[in-house]
Amino acid sequence: MNEFPQIKEIKCRTILSKSGIEGIDYTINPYIGCQHACRYCYAQYMWPWKNIGLKWGKHIFVKVNALERLNTEIHRIKPWQVVELSSVTDPYQPIERKYQLTRRILEKLLNNNVKTIILTKSNLVTRDIDIMLENSRNLQVGLTIITLDEHFKRAFEPYSPSVKERLSALEKLSRNGIVTFCFIGPMLPVVTDESLWTLIDVLENIGVKMLIFDRMNVKWGLNKHLLEIIGKNFPDLYELYEKVFTGGDYWKYYKSLKNDILNFCEGKSFKVVFCY
Ligand code: SF4
């Protein structure tokens, strides 16, 4: 685990960020930076991180006044609006064990009947089931899983909890009557599709209510970065990835997989959503 990043406590001017994501009105990011340090993470190329210029995953800024700010800003959220925790950080990264910012923010949102969506890669989210159970009707909790294969997972998501732990978290949440979903993205050739059909069956058995599929964002040189990882860890896949990432074949791959997913999921008990 990436246990020893440099931690800096800061005060934020505002905690509610207007969102451009469809179906989400505001996002709350209690931290800047993310200890999970996923190799494909686009947040490292976005504001404010790109302006900070530090190594992704090694420095975390903690917005220690996040709850104080939310207390002041919560009136801006209309009853029909949706808040996501979080969009450019993981709200349940390891440092959350100590600071409990997400826990206190979640409590505030749910107590005020705010429609809330949690998205994380961590089973730490189950720590807060007690709060969720007090008022879960406005809540959906999602775990991201891009593959069932722990070997692939470790190469692309080196410091986040295992796939097994995430599936257990989804199961525990679902068993407690909380509406759950799985975010499957970015979808990567072989890494994702090799185990996708088994994953979908497992998720159906767990009782998740929705699967959200997303593409790989190949901007900002992320494709080159991933090619390096593939070359180092999975040389057999290098040629395929080179074609898909630099030869412009990613969309062809995505569209064809999308069709297969739609066919496979027909008649299943969950909703299927594609971001693109
Ligand atoms: S958990 Fe999310 S925010 Fe954190 S590094 Fe991974 S993709 Fe980025």
Side-chain angles (χ1 to χ4, degrees):
M1 201 180 277
N2 193 12
E3 292 279 18
F4 305 108
Q6 286 187 26
I7 308 295
K8 188 168 181 201
E9 295 182 359
I10 57 165
K11 291 206 169 172
C12 57
R13 271 179 296 174
T14 177
I15 195 66
L16 280 182
S17 303
K18 272 269 182 201
S19 163
I21 306 166
E22 201 184 324
I24 309 282
D25 298 285
Y26 293 101
T27 58
I28 294 181
N29 294 288
Y31 305 98
I32 301 176
C34 185
Q35 282 171 278
H36 289 163
C38 303
R39 303 306 190 211
Y40 52 73
C41 182
Y42 58 79
Q44 60 192 303
Y45 297 94
M46 294 173 73
W47 186 92
W49 195 263
K50 70 169 186 186
N51 296 22
I52 296 170
L54 298 171
K55 194 164 166 36
W56 184 242
K58 296 291 179 201
H59 302 263
I60 309 298
F61 296 84
V62 181
K63 298 176 184 175
V64 285
N65 64 333
L67 186 66
E68 202 181 298
R69 288 308 315 156
L70 185 60
N71 286 337
T72 311
E73 296 169 30
I74 198 164
H75 70 276
R76 284 166 48 196
I77 309 168
K78 307 284 183 289
W80 58 86
Q81 291 187 310
V82 177
V83 174
E84 182 189 29
L85 265 168
S86 297
S87 57
V88 287
T89 189
D90 194 312
Y92 287 100
Q93 60 186 291
I95 196 73
E96 167 63 16
R97 280 183 210 282
K98 174 182 171 191
Y99 284 95
Q100 304 206 5
L101 292 181
T102 300
R103 180 174 171 85
R104 285 181 282 149
I105 288 167
L106 179 66
E107 190 170 32
K108 179 79 189 171
L109 292 173
L110 295 184
N111 284 346
N112 283 274
N113 296 316
V114 174
K115 293 181 195 308
T116 305
I117 294 176
I118 293 171
L119 182 60
T120 179
K121 285 193 173 87
S122 175
N123 54 336
L124 178 59
V125 66
T126 59
R127 177 199 64 188
D128 294 344
I129 284 182
D130 58 336
I131 289 175
M132 297 174 193
L133 287 181
E134 282 174 22
N135 194 348
S136 68
R137 71 178 183 283
N138 289 310
L139 177 68
Q140 294 178 39
V141 182
L143 274 286
T144 301
I145 299 175
I146 66 161
T147 179
L148 269 183
D149 187 319
E150 302 282 4
H151 192 44
F152 281 140
K153 180 261 160 207
R154 275 193 295 278
F156 292 100
E157 304 166 345
Y159 304 116
S160 51
S162 67
V163 180
K164 202 170 158 211
E165 287 169 314
R166 292 183 221 175
L167 286 170
S168 298
L170 274 172
E171 193 167 18
K172 192 167 178 189
L173 291 159
S174 302
R175 223 186 314 117
N176 276 279
I178 290 153
V179 175
T180 54
F181 67 94
C182 185
F183 187 92
I184 303 176
M187 293 198 283
L188 298 171
V190 183
V191 172
T192 303
D193 51 80
E194 202 170 66
S195 57
L196 183 59
W197 319 113
T198 312
L199 172 63
I200 292 174
D201 284 340
V202 169
L203 292 168
E204 188 179 31
N205 283 335
I206 284 173
V208 301
K209 300 292 181 220
M210 184 166 60
L211 302 191
I212 303 177
F213 294 91
D214 197 11
R215 58 163 188 161
M216 170 73 208
N217 197 332
V218 290
K219 282 199 284 187
W220 304 302
L222 258 179
N223 46 355
K224 284 191 199 131
H225 182 44
L226 291 192
L227 264 180
E228 279 169 29
I229 293 166
I230 288 285
K232 197 169 143 206
N233 297 281
F234 313 106
D236 292 356
L237 294 178
Y238 188 84
E239 207 177 310
L240 168 73
Y241 269 73
E242 194 173 35
K243 199 163 161 243
V244 166
F245 280 167
T246 58
D249 277 1
Y250 184 77
W251 277 108
K252 223 191 279 174
Y253 161 76
Y254 183 80
K255 277 188 194 157
S256 145
L257 190 55
K258 190 171 170 176
N259 280 337
D260 292 347
I261 291 167
L262 285 170
N263 288 333
F264 188 78
C265 293
E266 213 180 310
K268 298 244 183 230
S269 55
F270 47 73
K271 191 174 161 191
V272 174
V273 174
F274 290 91
C275 295
Y276 292 91

